[in-house]
Amino acid sequence: MTTPTRPESRRPASSAGAAARERREKRELLRPTRRRALMRRWMVVLVFFGIVGLLYVILFTPVLGVRSVDVQGLEGLTPDEVRTVAAVEMGKPLVRLDTGEIADRVATLPRVAKVSVERSWPSTVEIIITERTPVAYAKLADGAHMVDATGADYAVVPQAPAGLPSIEVATLGTGDAATRAVVDVLGRIPPQLKERVVTLAAKTPGDVQLRLTTGQLVKWGNAADSERKAMVLAALLQRPGKTYDVAAPDLPTVS
């Protein structure tokens, strides 16, 4: 009797071929993914080195360095005077420039009331200055000393500008209380009275006196109640006299 043959325990040829195709397809799908991952890594490296290179150029080379210094707002000063004191290092990268230090150096010039320093890309430093404005002058042996609203003695000229009143104090300057009192009074009196003042004098902060164009003397006292004192003085000036005392505006006198 013949024994029946058993079927072979293996995949059909068609099934084995399908599995092979599936493996090939997976490999084909994985190859682009790996290429993209590799490209992304290279892109990250390139971007990193690009940023590093850009920072190096900005921070450590003269490509974006100082090539010019532009000075604005000058009246009595010259651009060269400001540039000399500013001492801006030419070629230094703008981003590393200490604008505060430059401003501090320029502020040491007596004529400078305010100063700001700005970067103007790609290669310019701008220095913007506000000079002091004179409100009075003091006639001293070496010339006319210009005085601003703070009492600063900031410039000496041979001849004082027309229209400025003179001031007479023992020690001229912002550190002197009498000087500060005089310019304080000058800043508070109304324009119509200011036009008539030729001289302001003070021995103490509470003893400010005004000399008018008509030669009359006004004892003003301190800077307090200046508006009321001006109103009282305007009425008193209608009366003849040489000395007008409004230091105590409620008890004025004419003599």
Side-chain angles (χ1 to χ4, degrees):
M1 181 172 75
T2 59
T3 304
T5 59
R6 298 169 60 186
E8 295 181 2
S9 56
R10 63 181 181 182
R11 291 183 180 179
S14 58
S15 177
R21 283 196 301 272
E22 186 178 346
R23 287 193 296 272
R24 283 197 301 272
E25 288 173 358
K26 286 182 179 179
R27 285 196 296 270
E28 292 299 323
L29 288 172
L30 288 173
R31 280 198 194 102
T33 302
R34 289 170 182 166
R35 281 198 298 267
R36 284 196 294 269
L38 187 59
M39 288 178 64
R40 282 198 295 268
R41 292 192 188 100
W42 276 109
M43 287 296 295
V44 169
V45 171
L46 291 174
V47 169
F48 172 76
F49 281 107
I51 293 173
V52 170
L54 181 61
L55 288 175
Y56 180 82
V57 169
I58 293 173
L59 293 172
F60 300 105
T61 73
V63 173
L64 293 177
V66 181
R67 291 191 177 91
S68 62
V69 178
D70 182 24
V71 184
Q72 304 171 21
L74 300 183
E75 295 180 13
L77 292 167
T78 66
D80 285 341
E81 286 177 308
V82 176
R83 291 189 184 105
T84 299
V85 173
V88 178
E89 183 181 345
M90 303 304 289
K92 184 170 183 175
L94 273 179
V95 72
R96 293 173 56 203
L97 210 62
D98 191 331
T99 56
E101 283 189 0
I102 296 171
D104 289 343
R105 290 195 290 268
V106 174
T108 62
L109 290 168
R111 282 184 175 270
V112 174
K114 295 179 183 178
V115 58
S116 65
V117 179
E118 300 175 0
R119 301 176 183 87
S120 180
W121 300 94
S123 59
T124 301
V125 175
E126 291 184 350
I127 302 177
I128 302 96
I129 288 175
T130 301
E131 292 193 23
R132 297 184 188 274
T133 301
V135 297
Y137 73 95
K139 186 65 176 177
L140 301 179
D142 58 344
H145 287 237
M146 297 292 99
V147 179
D148 75 350
T150 69
D153 171 14
Y154 67 89
V156 182
V157 296
Q159 189 68 35
L164 284 182
S166 66
I167 62 176
E168 297 174 359
V169 292
T171 306
L172 186 65
T174 54
D176 178 54
T179 301
R180 294 197 304 271
V182 165
V183 294
D184 193 9
V185 168
L186 187 58
R188 291 170 183 262
I189 60 178
Q192 60 270 26
L193 175 58
K194 190 181 297 185
E195 292 173 358
R196 301 179 62 178
V197 176
V198 293
T199 304
L200 299 94
K203 293 180 180 178
T204 67
D207 183 37
V208 178
Q209 297 184 357
L210 317 178
R211 182 70 68 175
L212 305 183
T213 53
T214 52
Q216 296 156 311
L217 179 67
V218 179
K219 294 183 177 181
W220 196 267
N222 58 31
D225 297 323
S226 287
E227 184 177 349
R228 174 151 174 72
K229 290 176 182 178
M231 293 175 60
V232 172
L233 179 62
L236 289 181
L237 288 174
Q238 304 302 316
R239 299 166 56 183
K242 293 182 179 180
T243 302
Y244 298 80
D245 190 340
V246 294
D250 293 331
L251 297 169
T253 63
V254 179
S255 60

